Every structure is written in C-alpha cells, then in structure tokens.
Amino acid sequence: MVTAELHDIASARLRTTGQRYTTRRRALVEVLDQADGPLTIPQILELDRSLAQSSAYRNLAVLEQADVVHRIVTNDDFARYELAEDLTEHHHHLICRTCGSVADFTLDPSVEGDLDRVLADVADAQSFQADHHRLDLVGTCADCR
Amino acid sequence: MVTAELHDIASARLRTTGQRYTTRRRALVEVLDQADGPLTIPQILELDRSLAQSSAYRNLAVLEQADVVHRIVTNDDFARYELAEDLTEHHHHLICRTCGSVADFTLDPSVEGDLDRVLADVADAQSFQADHHRLDLVGTCADCR
DNA sequence: GCGTGAATGAGAACAGTTCTCGGTTCAGCC
DNA sequence: GGCTGAACCGAGAACTGTTCTCATTCACGC
C-alpha cells in the first residue's frame, strides 16, 4: 500500500471514533509501516526519538481502538504493535524464543483457504464466533542459531 | 493419560533438573490436569485454596523449566498455564476477546500433517529453526455471544 | 488573534509478577 | 530414630511494563 493512502485510511478511521490524526500518531503509523515485523514500544521509541513513552502507549491504544494498529503479546517482556492486517496483508509470525524477535511470513493462499474452512467447522461445532485465526511458528531465528 | 503416570513423568522431569516433586507442585499439576483449558493464577488459586500465590508463581516457573507445564500469554491481563503438550495432546486454543477465556480444540491429524509440512518449508526458506507451531482462533465464545 | 477542547509529556500510580528472607520440610547419612 | 544441609514454603517487599493524572501546549472554528 502507498504510504499516502495508508495515512488517508488511518485518518478516516480515527475520525469515525472522534479522534484526530495528529503528528505523533502519524509518526507511529509511519514507524510501524517501515518495520518488517511487529515492534515493541522501546523499539518504536528508538526509531523515532521525538516520541514520548507515555504518549506512545496512549496513542497506540487509540490507534488500536480505531483498528489502525494491532497489539500482539508474546512470551517476551514487551507487547508488540503492527499495522492492522487489512492495511498490510494477512501474515503470520516467526517468534524467536531466544531473543524474542518477531518476523512476518505469509502462506500460500490455497493453504490459507483450506485452513479457514477447517477452522470455520471447528468454530461452528463449538458455537464459537470466530473473528480471525492466528498462526505462529516458535523456534530459533537465524541470528540466534 | 492416567494421572498416576502423569505424576511419574512430572517427578522424573523435575529430578533431572535437581528439583523435588513436592506436594504443592503435585497440586498444581493436578489442577491443570483437571482443567479443560489453560488457567490463570487467580483461577488456580481459586481451585485449590491451599496454594499461596508467590509459591504458585515460583512453582509454575520451576515446572515450566522442567517442561512439565507450559505458559501462554494472551491479550488478557494474566498469563495462563497448561500441561506440556507431550503430557496431553497437540491442541489449539479458542480465545474469547470479550471475557478472555481460553478453551482447547484439536484438528484432524491429516490437517495437522499438511500444516506441518507447509510450515517446515517456510522455516527452511527463512533459516528459522522451528520448534512448534501455535494456532489460535480469536473471536467470541458461546457464553459471550 | 481568541476561546475551547483535544493532545501532549513528565512523572505518579497501578498491577501482575518476581524476589527476599526467616522459618519449615525433606532426603540422605549415620 | 536423630542429624544435617539443601530445597522448599509463604508473606510481604520490590520490580517493571503499562496506565493514569494533570498542567501545559496545540489545532481548529470564530
């Protein structure tokens, strides 16, 4: 997605919840857009030194509520943030148990389709209203091997 | 798995790390064995009032290090604990975004096999040493619909 | 420019988790 | 059975990622 378009969508989604798309919030979206995986707050602050910690937490919460960003938590100490899937593409995570890093990967659409069908059956059987699935691969990243 | 056998294995695994399989640790394993999904510390303490919070945290950490229990974290406030997969069976989680509850479900072995093959390819391509995969279904549970 | 309400950032507060420490229990040895 | 030292226990303090507070600043409509 083109960055300008990304900002337009983010702006529109914030407006529908009565929020402004401010400089700081734009900066957060930009940092997340340039990353190739979910980032922790310390990583975000490191990448844009102009951001204050408390504001970063608050603004990421606002952006999450507007469905612009998505918060994920691993066994790592910090939560991680990434752009909402409909702003990027459906993907999964390679989670390193040694250093805690998280990288993205995608599956073949046909595999995703099969998976969705199977999971829909499971959800039906349990009267569970499924919103989305989450598939992670846990192990050791190339750097830590 | 028969409970007696479960305790034998737990005991053996703790011994290899120089730890004892004490009454409190046995109680934790028993509570987790009887649950039909991962439990939070408050839930565990509720189910066995004889357990002290600080000891529960410590002993669950010990049991995790001995690969007897497994710690998972969701977007909920509390971490959750379940028995290690090789003491139960390979399964996945239905995670309710409303109440935070987590229930188990299993997939057809053939689907699991397909998934494993696809994921093995992904891991190879990225020089990632995969240990296991994790597949969750996020949505709304029957009670919260 | 002015007024008003949202946004900001520094630091306090909060809460889940971990650590400390004095007392207790257990395994191994005699 | 009694001794001894190490492991374990529980209550509370400490720690730390996150959230909240509040005085100040900023953005937008007039």
Side-chain angles (χ1 to χ4, degrees):
Chain A
M1 179 178 302
V2 185
T3 305
E5 191 185 348
L6 172 63
H7 288 310
D8 286 347
I9 295 176
S11 177
R13 289 194 184 172
L14 280 176
R15 257 199 311 278
T16 67
T17 62
Q19 309 267 4
R20 302 179 188 156
Y21 195 42
T22 63
T23 309
R24 304 304 194 215
R25 292 174 185 174
R26 179 182 294 261
L28 286 171
V29 169
E30 216 135 87
V31 168
L32 293 180
D33 184 41
Q34 280 159 25
D36 51 18
L39 299 180
T40 64
I41 294 270
Q43 288 174 327
I44 292 171
L45 299 181
E46 181 75 20
L47 289 169
D48 186 339
R49 299 303 190 89
S50 75
L51 294 170
Q53 187 190 53
S54 62
S55 301
Y57 273 110
R58 175 164 20 77
N59 284 327
L60 284 168
V62 168
L63 289 168
E64 191 191 15
Q65 217 155 12
D67 282 326
V68 176
V69 310
H70 183 211
R71 173 193 166 125
I72 61 177
V73 356
T74 64
N75 284 315
D76 201 10
D77 283 341
F78 297 91
R80 285 164 190 271
Y81 293 87
E82 63 184 2
L83 290 182
E85 278 214 328
D86 61 350
L87 298 178
T88 54
E89 61 174 346
H90 181 60
H91 64 272
H92 302 287
H93 295 133
L94 296 171
I95 301 176
C96 176
R97 283 203 296 190
T98 302
C99 69
S101 71
V102 180
D104 293 347
F105 75 90
T106 57
L107 287 181
D108 189 275
S110 72
V111 177
E112 287 285 352
D114 291 347
L115 195 55
D116 277 334
R117 271 185 292 280
V118 173
L119 292 177
D121 290 345
V122 171
D124 275 355
Q126 312 238 3
S127 302
F128 188 86
Q129 184 176 343
D131 180 59
H132 64 272
H133 70 258
R134 204 163 63 185
L135 175 62
D136 303 323
L137 209 44
V138 182
T140 312
C141 73
D143 290 345
C144 290
R145 289 182 78 160
Chain B
M1 179 177 302
V2 184
T3 304
E5 191 184 348
L6 172 63
H7 287 310
D8 286 348
I9 295 177
S11 177
R13 290 194 184 172
L14 280 174
R15 256 200 311 277
T16 67
T17 62
Q19 311 265 7
R20 300 176 190 156
Y21 194 43
T22 64
T23 309
R24 304 306 194 212
R25 294 173 185 174
R26 177 181 295 258
L28 287 170
V29 168
E30 217 135 87
V31 169
L32 294 179
D33 184 40
Q34 279 158 25
D36 51 15
L39 299 179
T40 63
I41 295 270
Q43 288 175 328
I44 293 170
L45 298 182
E46 183 73 19
L47 288 169
D48 187 338
R49 299 305 190 85
S50 75
L51 294 169
Q53 187 190 54
S54 62
S55 300
Y57 274 109
R58 175 167 18 80
N59 284 328
L60 285 168
V62 169
L63 288 168
E64 191 191 15
Q65 217 155 11
D67 282 325
V68 176
V69 310
H70 183 213
R71 172 194 168 125
I72 63 177
V73 2
T74 64
N75 284 315
D76 202 10
D77 283 342
F78 298 90
R80 285 163 189 274
Y81 293 86
E82 63 184 2
L83 290 182
E85 277 214 328
D86 60 349
L87 297 179
T88 54
E89 62 176 342
H90 180 59
H91 65 274
H92 303 288
H93 296 132
L94 296 172
I95 301 176
C96 177
R97 284 202 295 188
T98 302
C99 70
S101 72
V102 181
D104 293 348
F105 75 89
T106 56
L107 287 181
D108 189 275
S110 73
V111 176
E112 287 285 352
D114 292 346
L115 196 54
D116 276 335
R117 272 185 291 280
V118 174
L119 291 177
D121 290 345
V122 171
D124 276 355
Q126 312 237 3
S127 301
F128 188 87
Q129 184 176 343
D131 181 57
H132 64 273
H133 70 257
R134 206 164 62 184
L135 174 62
D136 303 324
L137 210 44
V138 183
T140 313
C141 73
D143 290 344
C144 290
R145 292 181 78 161

mmCIF file of all heavy atoms in Angstrom, chain B residues 57-72:
data_model
loop_
_atom_site.group_PDB
_atom_site.id
_atom_site.type_symbol
_atom_site.label_atom_id
_atom_site.label_comp_id
_atom_site.label_asym_id
_atom_site.label_seq_id
_atom_site.Cartn_x
_atom_site.Cartn_y
_atom_site.Cartn_z
ATOM 1 N N TYR B 57 3.438 -19.001 41.686
ATOM 2 C CA TYR B 57 4.247 -18.413 40.622
ATOM 3 C C TYR B 57 5.599 -19.113 40.543
ATOM 4 O O TYR B 57 6.053 -19.486 39.467
ATOM 5 C CB TYR B 57 4.459 -16.919 40.873
ATOM 6 C CG TYR B 57 3.354 -16.031 40.351
ATOM 7 C CD1 TYR B 57 2.482 -15.380 41.209
ATOM 8 C CD2 TYR B 57 3.197 -15.826 38.979
ATOM 9 C CE1 TYR B 57 1.471 -14.551 40.723
ATOM 10 C CE2 TYR B 57 2.193 -14.997 38.496
ATOM 11 C CZ TYR B 57 1.334 -14.365 39.365
ATOM 12 O OH TYR B 57 0.344 -13.552 38.893
ATOM 13 N N ARG B 58 6.233 -19.281 41.693
ATOM 14 C CA ARG B 58 7.563 -19.888 41.694
ATOM 15 C C ARG B 58 7.523 -21.320 41.193
ATOM 16 O O ARG B 58 8.307 -21.717 40.333
ATOM 17 C CB ARG B 58 8.161 -19.824 43.110
ATOM 18 C CG ARG B 58 9.472 -20.528 43.224
ATOM 19 C CD ARG B 58 10.250 -20.227 44.502
ATOM 20 N NE ARG B 58 9.469 -19.650 45.573
ATOM 21 C CZ ARG B 58 8.683 -20.326 46.398
ATOM 22 N NH1 ARG B 58 8.580 -21.631 46.271
ATOM 23 N NH2 ARG B 58 8.010 -19.725 47.354
ATOM 24 N N ASN B 59 6.552 -22.081 41.690
ATOM 25 C CA ASN B 59 6.499 -23.485 41.317
ATOM 26 C C ASN B 59 6.098 -23.685 39.855
ATOM 27 O O ASN B 59 6.579 -24.609 39.200
ATOM 28 C CB ASN B 59 5.537 -24.224 42.243
ATOM 29 C CG ASN B 59 6.170 -24.464 43.601
ATOM 30 O OD1 ASN B 59 7.384 -24.648 43.685
ATOM 31 N ND2 ASN B 59 5.358 -24.451 44.643
ATOM 32 N N LEU B 60 5.251 -22.815 39.356
ATOM 33 C CA LEU B 60 4.901 -22.926 37.941
ATOM 34 C C LEU B 60 6.114 -22.610 37.072
ATOM 35 O O LEU B 60 6.313 -23.221 36.020
ATOM 36 C CB LEU B 60 3.734 -22.003 37.611
ATOM 37 C CG LEU B 60 2.382 -22.518 38.105
ATOM 38 C CD1 LEU B 60 1.315 -21.434 38.013
ATOM 39 C CD2 LEU B 60 1.948 -23.750 37.314
ATOM 40 N N ALA B 61 6.944 -21.677 37.545
ATOM 41 C CA ALA B 61 8.172 -21.378 36.810
ATOM 42 C C ALA B 61 9.102 -22.584 36.822
ATOM 43 O O ALA B 61 9.709 -22.931 35.804
ATOM 44 C CB ALA B 61 8.852 -20.154 37.412
ATOM 45 N N VAL B 62 9.190 -23.231 37.979
ATOM 46 C CA VAL B 62 10.017 -24.442 38.090
ATOM 47 C C VAL B 62 9.483 -25.534 37.169
ATOM 48 O O VAL B 62 10.239 -26.173 36.432
ATOM 49 C CB VAL B 62 10.041 -24.939 39.553
ATOM 50 C CG1 VAL B 62 10.652 -26.328 39.634
ATOM 51 C CG2 VAL B 62 10.818 -23.970 40.426
ATOM 52 N N LEU B 63 8.176 -25.719 37.209
ATOM 53 C CA LEU B 63 7.563 -26.763 36.390
ATOM 54 C C LEU B 63 7.713 -26.449 34.899
ATOM 55 O O LEU B 63 7.842 -27.354 34.075
ATOM 56 C CB LEU B 63 6.072 -26.903 36.751
ATOM 57 C CG LEU B 63 5.793 -27.550 38.112
ATOM 58 C CD1 LEU B 63 4.332 -27.367 38.513
ATOM 59 C CD2 LEU B 63 6.143 -29.032 38.066
ATOM 60 N N GLU B 64 7.690 -25.170 34.587
ATOM 61 C CA GLU B 64 7.863 -24.808 33.182
ATOM 62 C C GLU B 64 9.279 -25.115 32.728
ATOM 63 O O GLU B 64 9.493 -25.606 31.621
ATOM 64 C CB GLU B 64 7.546 -23.324 32.967
ATOM 65 C CG GLU B 64 7.458 -22.988 31.482
ATOM 66 C CD GLU B 64 7.399 -21.497 31.218
ATOM 67 O OE1 GLU B 64 7.696 -20.707 32.129
ATOM 68 O OE2 GLU B 64 7.059 -21.132 30.075
ATOM 69 N N GLN B 65 10.241 -24.830 33.611
ATOM 70 C CA GLN B 65 11.631 -25.079 33.262
ATOM 71 C C GLN B 65 11.892 -26.574 33.079
ATOM 72 O O GLN B 65 12.762 -26.969 32.311
ATOM 73 C CB GLN B 65 12.539 -24.524 34.368
ATOM 74 C CG GLN B 65 13.809 -23.912 33.849
ATOM 75 C CD GLN B 65 14.353 -22.868 34.812
ATOM 76 O OE1 GLN B 65 13.889 -22.762 35.943
ATOM 77 N NE2 GLN B 65 15.339 -22.116 34.384
ATOM 78 N N ALA B 66 11.136 -27.387 33.782
ATOM 79 C CA ALA B 66 11.284 -28.838 33.663
ATOM 80 C C ALA B 66 10.412 -29.389 32.534
ATOM 81 O O ALA B 66 10.293 -30.604 32.363
ATOM 82 C CB ALA B 66 10.916 -29.497 34.984
ATOM 83 N N ASP B 67 9.771 -28.476 31.777
ATOM 84 C CA ASP B 67 8.917 -28.878 30.652
ATOM 85 C C ASP B 67 7.722 -29.716 31.089
ATOM 86 O O ASP B 67 7.289 -30.619 30.362
ATOM 87 C CB ASP B 67 9.722 -29.638 29.593
ATOM 88 C CG ASP B 67 10.534 -28.687 28.732
ATOM 89 O OD1 ASP B 67 10.053 -27.580 28.470
ATOM 90 O OD2 ASP B 67 11.660 -29.070 28.343
ATOM 91 N N VAL B 68 7.221 -29.453 32.265
ATOM 92 C CA VAL B 68 6.027 -30.146 32.728
ATOM 93 C C VAL B 68 4.794 -29.294 32.418
ATOM 94 O O VAL B 68 3.758 -29.807 32.027
ATOM 95 C CB VAL B 68 6.095 -30.432 34.242
ATOM 96 C CG1 VAL B 68 4.798 -31.061 34.739
ATOM 97 C CG2 VAL B 68 7.277 -31.341 34.536
ATOM 98 N N VAL B 69 4.915 -28.004 32.589
ATOM 99 C CA VAL B 69 3.820 -27.115 32.220
ATOM 100 C C VAL B 69 4.319 -26.115 31.185
ATOM 101 O O VAL B 69 5.517 -25.986 30.936
ATOM 102 C CB VAL B 69 3.228 -26.357 33.437
ATOM 103 C CG1 VAL B 69 2.912 -27.304 34.556
ATOM 104 C CG2 VAL B 69 4.141 -25.254 33.885
ATOM 105 N N HIS B 70 3.361 -25.436 30.583
ATOM 106 C CA HIS B 70 3.643 -24.504 29.516
ATOM 107 C C HIS B 70 2.908 -23.213 29.815
ATOM 108 O O HIS B 70 1.745 -23.237 30.187
ATOM 109 C CB HIS B 70 3.168 -25.124 28.187
ATOM 110 C CG HIS B 70 3.470 -24.271 27.012
ATOM 111 N ND1 HIS B 70 2.658 -24.226 25.904
ATOM 112 C CD2 HIS B 70 4.481 -23.417 26.777
ATOM 113 C CE1 HIS B 70 3.173 -23.373 25.037
ATOM 114 N NE2 HIS B 70 4.273 -22.869 25.527
ATOM 115 N N ARG B 71 3.588 -22.111 29.678
ATOM 116 C CA ARG B 71 2.988 -20.810 29.959
ATOM 117 C C ARG B 71 2.569 -20.149 28.660
ATOM 118 O O ARG B 71 3.347 -20.086 27.718
ATOM 119 C CB ARG B 71 4.017 -19.941 30.684
ATOM 120 C CG ARG B 71 3.607 -18.512 30.870
ATOM 121 C CD ARG B 71 4.827 -17.695 31.286
ATOM 122 N NE ARG B 71 4.544 -16.291 31.193
ATOM 123 C CZ ARG B 71 4.698 -15.423 32.189
ATOM 124 N NH1 ARG B 71 5.141 -15.828 33.338
ATOM 125 N NH2 ARG B 71 4.413 -14.150 32.020
ATOM 126 N N ILE B 72 1.349 -19.648 28.604
ATOM 127 C CA ILE B 72 0.923 -18.921 27.417
ATOM 128 C C ILE B 72 0.388 -17.566 27.842
ATOM 129 O O ILE B 72 -0.135 -17.412 28.938
ATOM 130 C CB ILE B 72 -0.171 -19.672 26.625
ATOM 131 C CG1 ILE B 72 -1.427 -19.828 27.455
ATOM 132 C CG2 ILE B 72 0.322 -21.019 26.161
ATOM 133 C CD1 ILE B 72 -2.546 -20.491 26.716
#
